[in-house]
Amino acid sequence: MIVILLGPPGAGKGTQAAHIVAKYGIPQLSTGDMLRAAVAAKTPVGVQAKAIMDAGNLVSDQIVAAIVEERIEEDDCAPGFLLDGFPRTVVQAEMLDAMLEKKGRALDAVIELKVDEGALLDRLRTRIKETLARGDEPRKDDTEETFKKRLGVYREQTAPLIPYYRGQGKLKVVDGMGAVEAVSAEIDAILEKIGS
Ligand code: AMP
């Protein structure tokens, strides 16, 4: 089962990804996490990506696609995988289509978490508060200013994926405004139809 989770920053992709991983036993491939690991390890990719990420912009399509292509060749991706944060541009979506075709694999579904943008800023404030309450440091790109920038980048560069995947007949829209469990239940109903 190969699935993409799509939605603006703060839509709850990370939370729902954790649910899908636990329930379906497929790995979560978060390009944001992979890039943050590269930044922390100061790899050449990480050094290049750091300033771009801190500013809320997108890392180059080629770099991100190369990271994903390498990762999906690992054994744990054989039964399938969940893409979280990739693709983020139509070019990346085309690159993904080409890499899956080369490997004789196919995308099963793209789940769009549809949210009311006005509520996203409130969610961000809650996320920062909860992170601080745990004694953790909030993400560098989790400031209101950078968040608004990331939202703009989503609208301009990532939202065109919605018609792209609708055209492929792969798009499934889920109401992301409900309680976490209700959103998970909607996702389950979609994934159960696909099977593994
Ligand atoms: P995320 O954790 O998915 O919100 O990603 C954090 C940041 O990593 C983004 O704001 C981008 O700078 C970068 N990033 C993550 N995934 C991608 C991608 N698919 N393409 C380009 N940049 C990405």
Side-chain angles (χ1 to χ4, degrees):
M1 178 159 79
I2 301 178
V3 178
I4 292 174
L5 261 187
L6 189 63
K13 295 192 296 294
T15 305
Q16 294 304 330
H19 164 77
I20 296 169
V21 166
K23 182 149 180 164
Y24 298 91
I26 53 172
Q28 171 192 3
L29 275 47
S30 156
T31 43
D33 285 349
M34 292 184 227
L35 288 166
R36 279 185 287 277
V39 170
K42 298 194 166 70
T43 66
V45 164
V47 170
Q48 217 182 319
K50 187 180 183 318
I52 300 171
M53 293 171 71
D54 286 351
N57 288 315
L58 293 186
V59 176
S60 91
D61 293 330
Q62 286 68 24
I63 287 182
V64 180
I67 293 177
V68 171
E69 181 151 30
E70 200 179 300
R71 179 67 183 86
I72 64 180
E73 271 163 17
E74 288 176 32
D75 290 347
D76 64 333
C77 290
F81 47 88
L82 172 69
L83 290 165
D84 161 16
F86 178 91
R88 248 181 167 96
T89 65
V90 171
V91 171
Q92 290 180 17
E94 288 166 351
M95 289 167 115
L96 175 66
D97 283 346
M99 76 178 87
L100 291 178
E101 197 183 329
K102 201 166 76 185
K103 292 178 207 305
R105 309 191 71 173
L107 185 61
D108 292 292
V110 177
I111 299 176
E112 181 202 353
L113 292 180
K114 209 173 176 58
V115 287
D116 162 12
E117 283 197 9
L120 292 177
L121 215 50
D122 286 339
R123 282 193 181 186
L124 169 77
R125 292 184 185 123
T126 307
R127 184 154 92 185
I128 295 173
K129 252 193 238 155
E130 285 171 356
T131 307
L132 290 171
R134 279 199 308 272
D136 293 333
E137 182 80 7
R139 268 169 52 177
K140 254 225 166 84
D141 58 358
D142 257 355
T143 62
E144 286 196 24
E145 193 195 335
T146 312
F147 185 82
K148 284 179 188 156
K149 166 82 189 168
R150 288 163 63 208
L151 204 52
V153 168
Y154 176 82
R155 271 192 222 114
E156 271 173 36
Q157 304 198 53
T158 307
L161 292 177
I162 295 168
Y164 179 87
Y165 285 122
R166 191 182 293 122
Q168 288 190 359
K170 301 261 165 83
L171 188 74
K172 314 279 174 197
V173 183
V174 162
D175 174 10
M177 292 309 294
V180 170
E181 297 74 19
V183 179
S184 299
E186 267 197 64
I187 293 176
D188 288 347
I190 293 166
L191 297 183
E192 265 147 34
K193 275 193 211 136
I194 293 168
S196 54

